[in-house]
Amino acid sequence: MNSPRLLLLLSFFAFVLVADITSAYQQGSRRASQDPRQCRIQRLTASRPSRKIQSEGGVTELWDENEEQFQCAGVAAMRNVIQPNSLSLPNYSPSPRLVYVHKGQGLLGISYPGCAETYDSGEQEEQQEEQGQEEQQRRRRGGEGRQHEEEQEEEEKQRRQRGRRGEEGRKQREEQQEQEEEEEQKESWGQQGRRRGSRGDQHQKIHRIRHGEVVALPAGAAHWCFNDGNEELVTVSITDVNSQWNQLDQTPWSFYLAGGQPSGIRKPSERESEREGQREREQEGSERERESEKQRRKRESESEGSEEEERSSFNAQNILSSFDANMIAQAFNVPNDIARKLTREDNRGFIVKVQRGGMGMIKPDEEQQQERGRSTRENGLEETFCNMRLNQYLDNPREADIYSRQAGRLNSVNMHKLPILRYLDLSAEKTNLNPNSIVAPHWSMNAHTILYITKGDGNLQVVGSNGRSVFNERVSEGQMVVVPQYFASAQRAGRNGVEWVAFKTSALPMKSPLAGHASVFKGLPLQVITNSYRISNQQAQQLKQNREHQHLLFPPSRTTSMSS
């Protein structure tokens, strides 16, 4: 009697599994529009940022998006360092972006078009007290205004008695009246601004972001970030320029609503490059790495151009600066002097210092934000972006997808854990690998993988589509490597272990390991293995069973320990 129910339940789970796999393949196929020749890579490189933009309140570092590996993956990489009490100005991108918070903490705000300002910062009593003070000031100014009018009437009588009623007098009175009206209008605007001031400000939700979190930034949504901590806020991000959201070219554009091109756009100095290269040589001691470093410097020296070319290499500008000030004044219904401030040139850059206490009213953790009642009629957009979580902690040992006390752990965030990733078609993984442990050889079935080393060092091997090695070098903190889809890779940690974050160009990435539990070799018949490699049945059994209770992350074996 229960068998039909059991069969129905099993059919449902099978349907869900097939739907997830189908969705993963469909998402992977959305990126197939790029030129396949871009992924005919003969050699990968462990690269560092090639351009540095120094702003007033921090540094923006950019990897060369024209590198073959980034062109293959269809992404651009960036690292932001925001100083304490500094603000990364509001901006938006035509492509979705996935951010990893490497160090520090801060506040993040995103303005979605069509979403209501459902949050109030501050307390109602303080608002009422401020309104009472403004009312008293308004009455006092009203009394002074009446006194001023009486004085004007007396002066007018004296002018009439003296017979001075010429055209010049009328013009003066008209000018004075215009000035008074303008002052009254400014005063009215000021009162409105104070009534809508910081304590009674209405805005969209502000998010607290911390070290170890992944943050999703949808395409076209204006966002800002403020470092309210006592240490630098360091973030690493990839922008999916090949996303279906982006109908421009594959240039990583950023459209800013404030700021301007800083004067500090430059490439690392020769002394910095030399110091960085020396540090790498001391850490890695590899002849191949030194050769790779020489090639990188050669490419940088060949790509040096004029100052104008340097400025155009950072594709960002304040879009308001090119609008007519009168148009802005009319659009916002503000005085022209305010509009001119919005459109003026600003060479502070795109990360600016904030005066002490200038952002004190925005404290989503310390002060309770009250959410105003929503309308019962939601517009569909509120059911998607408006109410979705943007960030997810990626480094919690208790939530590890794969855990081995001897080998390490792997945490992942996909569209099931962070639903907004379904619309970005991106995801991320964080791997902590213990000393001398390895990640089994595997390949990604529906995504490119962008590895960023966050701590330690280790060896990375990547084999390309032609069966040849395209990368076999030691990688260290701060370096980035792209592993294209279907390229097989394996990692081994150094003596102090290694940690990295992996950005994936799919919301539901799938990987296929060669060894261990649920691996390719575990699923092959014994006879297929013996005939493929001309080995005995016993040897084939070892390939299938020696790691059958371990998944992807393996501790060092005895043979490895003896050889090292």
Side-chain angles (χ1 to χ4, degrees):
M1 189 173 183
N2 292 330
S3 58
R5 294 182 180 179
L6 180 60
L7 182 61
L8 181 61
L9 185 62
L10 291 175
S11 301
F12 172 75
F13 282 119
F15 173 77
V16 172
L17 179 61
V18 172
D20 278 348
I21 295 176
T22 303
S23 176
Y25 273 108
Q26 288 177 348
Q27 288 166 351
S29 65
R30 291 173 189 166
R31 305 180 56 83
S33 60
Q34 70 183 60
D35 189 350
R37 292 175 295 180
Q38 292 179 342
C39 289
R40 295 178 181 176
I41 295 176
Q42 301 298 320
R43 187 73 183 165
L44 294 171
T45 58
S47 62
R48 296 182 182 272
S50 60
R51 300 190 298 279
K52 181 179 291 187
I53 296 90
Q54 182 70 54
S55 297
E56 179 189 62
V59 177
T60 300
E61 297 175 303
L62 305 171
W63 275 263
D64 184 5
E65 68 274 10
N66 294 317
E67 277 191 27
E68 191 177 20
Q69 58 182 347
F70 293 115
Q71 289 288 313
C72 170
V75 300
M78 176 174 62
R79 181 167 60 201
N80 269 330
V81 181
I82 305 176
Q83 299 294 332
N85 206 46
S86 296
L87 173 68
S88 178
L89 295 173
N91 69 95
Y92 63 92
S93 169
S95 304
R97 183 175 297 167
L98 196 58
V99 182
Y100 176 73
V101 183
H102 184 31
K103 295 179 182 177
Q105 66 173 356
L107 305 177
L108 175 74
I110 296 187
S111 296
Y112 294 111
C115 297
E117 298 82 13
T118 57
Y119 285 84
D120 291 334
S121 294
E123 299 179 358
Q124 187 174 4
E125 294 180 359
E126 293 182 353
Q127 294 177 18
Q128 293 175 351
E129 181 180 353
E130 185 178 19
Q131 290 176 358
Q133 293 177 356
E134 291 177 356
E135 182 66 23
Q136 291 178 1
Q137 293 177 1
R138 195 159 47 246
R139 291 175 179 175
R140 187 167 55 252
R141 284 194 298 267
E144 294 175 353
R146 285 192 297 271
Q147 183 179 359
H148 182 63
E149 290 176 359
E150 292 175 357
E151 293 177 354
Q152 284 183 334
E153 291 177 358
E154 184 65 25
E155 291 178 359
E156 181 65 20
K157 290 179 180 179
Q158 293 178 1
R159 281 196 297 271
R160 288 176 179 175
Q161 291 174 358
R162 290 194 298 266
R164 298 178 180 177
R165 299 178 179 179
E167 185 68 22
E168 182 178 353
R170 285 195 299 272
K171 289 183 179 180
Q172 290 179 354
R173 286 193 299 274
E174 290 175 357
E175 291 176 357
Q176 184 177 2
Q177 185 176 2
E178 290 177 358
Q179 290 178 357
E180 290 175 354
E181 290 178 353
E182 185 176 354
E183 289 178 358
E184 290 177 359
Q185 189 176 18
K186 288 183 178 180
E187 185 176 350
S188 175
W189 279 323
Q191 291 172 1
Q192 293 177 9
R194 285 189 292 271
R195 284 196 299 269
R196 300 167 185 169
S198 60
R199 292 196 180 103
D201 186 31
Q202 298 175 358
H203 53 78
Q204 294 186 22
K205 186 175 181 179
I206 298 171
H207 307 263
R208 167 70 66 183
I209 60 174
R210 295 182 174 89
H211 160 71
E213 289 186 338
V214 166
V215 183
L217 301 178
H223 57 274
W224 54 267
C225 185
F226 175 65
N227 182 359
D228 64 339
N230 298 320
E231 61 176 338
E232 292 180 340
L233 174 59
V234 182
T235 63
V236 181
S237 63
I238 61 114
T239 302
D240 186 7
V241 296
N242 198 42
S243 168
Q244 60 177 345
W245 291 93
N246 180 21
Q247 298 186 23
L248 302 178
D249 55 22
Q250 290 194 357
T251 303
W253 298 99
S254 291
F255 297 86
Y256 278 81
L257 307 184
Q261 286 282 0
S263 58
I265 297 183
R266 64 181 182 87
K267 293 192 175 183
S269 65
E270 294 182 1
R271 181 176 298 177
E272 290 176 340
S273 299
E274 180 63 28
R275 187 162 54 244
E276 184 174 303
Q278 181 67 24
R279 183 167 58 250
E280 289 181 2
R281 287 193 293 270
E282 291 176 355
Q283 292 176 349
E284 300 170 10
S286 169
E287 184 65 30
R288 184 175 297 173
E289 177 65 23
R290 288 198 294 268
E291 184 65 26
S292 176
E293 177 70 13
K294 291 179 182 178
Q295 293 177 0
R296 184 176 66 83
R297 291 183 184 177
K298 183 178 179 180
R299 287 195 302 269
E300 288 181 359
S301 62
E302 290 175 353
S303 63
E304 290 180 352
S306 64
E307 180 179 354
E308 186 64 28
E309 290 173 346
E310 287 290 318
R311 288 182 175 272
S312 64
S313 65
F314 182 50
N315 304 298
Q317 187 56 271
N318 179 0
I319 62 172
L320 295 183
S321 62
S322 296
F323 277 101
D324 180 70
N326 293 329
M327 177 72 73
I328 297 297
Q330 186 174 358
F332 285 94
N333 191 25
V334 296
N336 286 334
D337 58 342
I338 296 180
R340 284 191 291 270
K341 291 180 180 180
L342 266 64
T343 59
R344 67 185 176 187
E345 293 293 332
D346 191 345
N347 61 0
R348 295 179 299 168
F350 300 109
I351 305 175
V352 300
K353 285 286 187 182
V354 176
Q355 294 181 356
R356 190 64 61 179
M359 299 281 284
M361 74 298 246
I362 302 179
K363 297 289 183 182
D365 284 353
E366 292 77 9
E367 293 184 9
Q368 184 71 24
Q369 281 188 334
Q370 298 178 351
E371 185 174 6
R372 294 185 288 112
R374 289 194 188 94
S375 171
T376 56
R377 298 174 58 186
E378 295 186 343
N379 59 11
L381 182 66
E382 293 178 351
E383 297 175 0
T384 54
F385 287 122
C386 297
N387 301 322
M388 281 188 171
R389 286 188 301 111
L390 300 177
N391 51 328
Q392 173 81 20
Y393 188 50
L394 191 59
D395 207 11
N396 189 349
R398 297 182 178 181
E399 298 179 355
D401 297 86
I402 301 175
Y403 177 80
S404 170
R405 186 167 55 183
Q406 295 82 17
R409 54 186 166 87
L410 183 149
N411 295 63
S412 66
V413 174
N414 55 31
M415 67 181 188
H416 292 318
K417 296 182 180 180
L418 193 61
I420 196 173
L421 294 178
R422 179 188 296 272
Y423 302 95
L424 274 65
D425 200 15
L426 295 170
S427 60
E429 294 177 352
K430 176 67 165 49
T431 304
N432 295 42
L433 202 58
N434 294 341
N436 298 318
S437 298
I438 70 169
V439 177
H442 63 282
W443 61 85
S444 178
M445 300 175 64
N446 62 339
H448 300 297
T449 302
I450 300 92
L451 299 174
Y452 177 76
I453 311 301
T454 59
K455 186 178 180 181
D457 58 55
N459 180 259
L460 172 65
Q461 299 182 24
V462 183
V463 178
S465 57
N466 57 3
R468 296 180 180 179
S469 174
V470 294
F471 191 88
N472 185 9
E473 299 178 13
R474 185 162 295 276
V475 291
S476 58
E477 181 177 347
Q479 290 184 319
M480 184 174 287
V481 183
V482 175
V483 180
Q485 179 186 12
Y486 293 116
F487 280 38
S489 66
Q491 294 98 334
R492 174 182 284 112
R495 294 181 179 179
N496 298 318
V498 64
E499 299 179 14
W500 68 84
V501 59
F503 300 97
K504 304 278 188 174
T505 58
S506 171
L508 193 62
M510 301 171 60
K511 60 168 64 73
S512 180
L514 279 174
H517 175 71
S519 65
V520 173
F521 269 66
K522 194 71 172 64
L524 291 176
L526 198 64
Q527 293 77 10
V528 173
I529 299 176
T530 57
N531 286 281
S532 297
Y533 301 100
R534 293 186 293 182
I535 59 178
S536 65
N537 287 344
Q538 182 180 3
Q539 292 171 329
Q541 287 283 5
Q542 291 178 357
L543 290 174
K544 292 190 64 171
Q545 298 177 1
N546 281 3
R547 295 286 194 182
E548 65 177 344
H549 299 299
Q550 299 170 331
H551 184 51
L552 196 64
L553 306 182
F554 302 152
S557 62
R558 293 180 179 179
T559 55
T560 304
S561 300
M562 292 175 61
S563 62
S564 59

